[in-house]
Amino acid sequence: MEYKNKKLLEILPQEISERDYGCGDPTYYVREGEIVLDLGCGAGKNCYIMAQIVGPSGRVMGVDFNESMLSLARKYQREIAEKLGYWNTEFIKAKIQNLKLDLERLDSFLKENPIKNSEDLIKLESFITYLETNEPLIPDNSIDTVVSNCVLNLVKTEDKGILFQEIYRVLKPHGRAVISDIVSDREVPEYLRIDPDLWAGCISGAMKEDRFIDAFIKAGFVSVRILNYEKNPWKVIEGIVF
Ligand SMILES: C[S@@+](CC[C@H](N)C(=O)[O-])C[C@H]1O[C@@H](n2cnc3c(N)ncnc32)[C@H](O)[C@@H]1O
């Protein structure tokens, strides 16, 4: 992926630089001093770029539900903090469509309370409700800028509404979301949506462009702007331009 400020790539370890699964550069729009949340941070490349922009007075949190991505991102936290002279990154395990639920706390609970019967399941459900209600991982109105690079399309179609509501919920009043993603010029038919390779390849989960924009307005955002529009399609499949 082409990043606009190439200087910020210099401190990145090769292992992080190489793990770039993005489709744009949302990092360019982040400002000094901001609290930033990166949805689906992967190995943390965007987070480490933004850590330099927000500086010591800001903070960058990367969210991902994939254990191996998170451990790769965390592997270089100390090294990068030492290079920068400050530690302002954090990597957390959650589903981006439920930023209230801390999946690492859930993992610890499950280790101590494995599910063997319906009573165990009821206990688990109560614990989840307790966490979401009393100790939300990302509280309401706590983030200046939410960014995401090629992840929203991967969220299940039926969860997409709640995903946009979550983005709106965690943002402070006047907060912003800067999202790079794949959209389509037509509705993607069901038989392409259920193709696991097309879905995992960040293609068939794409929302139709106008629906993508409407989703922000529906969630409560007051305006939506297209900051950059790729001239060439990402892919064209059966005449559908992605
Ligand atoms: C295409 S990669 C993009 C990674 C990163 N943003 C980048 O630019 O390199 C998608 C990432 O999102 C994560 N992901 C996908 N769906 C997710 C979800 N519902 N909740 C949390 N993470 C998710 C995956 O584990 C993966 O690390």
Side-chain angles (χ1 to χ4, degrees), residues 104-120:
E104 264 158 347
R105 290 196 59 188
L106 194 61
D107 286 341
S108 313
F109 181 88
L110 283 167
K111 221 177 255 172
E112 308 239 313
N113 306 275
I115 309 285
K116 291 190 265 16
N117 53 41
S118 54
E119 272 171 34
D120 295 339

Side-chain angles (χ1 to χ4, degrees), residues 1 3 16 18-24 26 38-46 63-67 69-70 92-99 103 147-156 159 163 199-202:
M1 202 58 245
Y3 286 85
I16 299 294
E18 283 169 353
R19 297 296 192 102
D20 185 339
Y21 306 111
C23 54
D38 182 5
L39 304 181
C41 61
K45 181 170 179 174
N46 285 218
V63 180
D64 209 287
F65 64 9
N66 182 301
E67 198 71 60
M69 285 293 177
L70 283 174
I92 51 189
K93 189 174 175 190
K95 279 166 89 172
I96 63 171
Q97 60 271 50
N98 183 0
L99 296 166
L103 293 181
V147 306
S148 185
N149 200 348
C150 215
V151 184
L152 270 49
N153 68 83
L154 290 167
V155 172
K156 288 190 286 188
D159 284 355
L163 165 67
W199 188 279
C202 292

